[in-house]
Amino acid sequence: MGARLGFQIPVIATHDGAVWGDEVMAMGLARALGDAGPFASVEVYDPVLVHDNLDVLVDLYPVPVVRRTGAPRRIWWVQARVDENWAQCPDFSAVLDYYHGFFAASPVLARKLADWGAPPERIALLPMSCDTRAFRPVAARPELACPVAFCGNGGIRTRQDVSEYLFPLRAHGLAIWGSDWDAFPELASHVRGPLHPALVPALYASAGVVVSVHSPWHRANDVPTSRLAEALSCGAALVSDSLPFARERYGDAVAFCDDGAAMERTVAALLADAGARERLAGRGRELMETRLGFQVMTRDLLPVLSGEQAACP
C-alpha cells in the first residue's frame, strides 16, 4: 500500500467566490501525483480538516499559518509571501526546524530560504504550474467572448501596475474576470466578476489574447504565476510582463513585454494577426504538455516527496 500524501492551505472551497490560486494549484498537483500511481491517497486540506494520519504533508504556507501535524515527512512549498521581518527573527528557526524539506517556487526564493537558515541540500525548486488535464483547449462560449482577457483578483494589485499595464488595454476590448477590483473604478465597466476555475479554459478559448501581469511580490521574487501555465495549457495566445525566470522557463511561448507600452503594442499586433496568435498558442500548449505541466513534473517530485532524494536539480 502506498503512502498517504496531503497538501495543506489556509482556506479551501474558494471556487465560488474570490478564488485562491493556491487552492487551484494544490488541487492540480494533487491530481497529477494521484494519477502517477505510487500514493494510496492524495488530498488537499485546510487547518480544520488536516489530520495526523498522513505520511507526507506539503504546506503551501508555513506554520502557524497552517496547522502543525505529526506527519513523519513535512515539506514547506514557499510559493506565497512571507513576512521578511518575521523571517529575520530568531524564533523563525523553529519554523524551519519543523520541516524536513522545502520547495521553492523560484531560484530567488530558494536563495532566501537558505539565507533564512534552511539547509541548502534540503531545498528543491518547484515552480508554479498546472494540471494540463484540467487546463486544456475547449470550445469557446459566446458569453465569455472578448478580445482581451485578464483573469485574476485585484486586491494584490498596485495602482501603478494597473495603470501601466491594464488601463491602456481598455481601448482594445479588455475584460477582467475576478474579485476585489473596487479600488480601480476606471475599470468598472470592464470587470465581469468572479469566474469558477472550471470555466477558465472556456474563457481562454473565447478570448483573442490573454494577458498576465504579476503582482509586486511575484515580480520582486521572480516567481512566474500559475496563470502563465494555465493560459498556455489551454492553448491561449499569452502576453505577459517580463520576469527573468519566466523568460527562462517559457521562452518564445509567451509574448513578454518590458513595460505597459510594449504590452499594448503587442496586444494590438496579435489582435490584428490571427496567424501569429495561432503560432504563439501552439508553442505554449506543446511546451506545457511535454515539459512544464504538473503531469511531467511529477517524475522529479516523487523521490523528493518520498525522502529518497533530498532535493531535485
Side-chain angles (χ1 to χ4, degrees), residues 123-142:
I123 302 171
L125 188 63
L126 176 55
M128 294 185 181
S129 187
C130 72
D131 175 5
T132 55
R133 296 181 185 177
F135 290 93
R136 66 193 191 282
V138 299
R141 296 176 60 149

Side-chain angles (χ1 to χ4, degrees), residues 37-217:
F39 296 101
S41 63
V42 187
E43 301 289 346
V44 178
Y45 302 95
D46 67 4
V48 175
L49 297 176
V50 73
H51 55 82
D52 288 334
N53 194 28
L54 294 167
D55 299 297
V56 185
L57 181 64
V58 180
D59 291 340
L60 275 71
Y61 291 77
V63 296
V65 180
V66 293
R67 186 159 72 84
R68 290 177 177 266
T69 75
R73 182 158 177 78
R74 301 180 295 272
I75 297 173
W76 174 19
W77 184 7
V78 185
Q79 52 80 52
R81 181 182 178 273
V82 177
D83 189 311
E84 299 280 349
N85 292 324
W86 177 37
Q88 301 301 325
C89 290
D91 62 354
F92 193 73
S93 61
V95 175
L96 300 176
D97 290 344
Y98 169 77
Y99 291 103
H100 304 97
F102 306 88
F103 289 139
S106 75
V108 170
L109 289 179
R111 290 193 292 271
K112 283 191 173 184
L113 266 169
D115 290 343
W116 295 338
E121 68 275 9
R122 297 185 187 175
I123 302 171
L125 188 63
L126 176 55
M128 294 185 181
S129 187
C130 72
D131 175 5
T132 55
R133 296 181 185 177
F135 290 93
R136 66 193 191 282
V138 299
R141 296 176 60 149
E143 68 272 21
L144 299 175
C146 56
V148 183
F150 178 88
C151 187
N153 295 327
I156 60 173
R157 314 286 162 188
T158 66
R159 174 159 285 275
Q160 178 180 344
D161 285 343
V162 171
S163 299
E164 178 178 355
Y165 286 99
L166 295 184
F167 282 6
L169 301 182
R170 292 174 295 183
H172 301 278
L174 173 67
I176 297 173
W177 298 88
S179 304
D180 301 327
W181 287 95
D182 293 344
F184 307 102
E186 301 91 335
L187 294 174
S189 62
H190 298 266
V191 175
R192 304 278 184 91
L195 187 70
H196 194 285
L199 292 176
V200 170
L203 169 63
Y204 290 161
S206 306
V209 173
V210 173
V211 296
S212 179
V213 179
H214 290 84
S215 75
W217 181 86

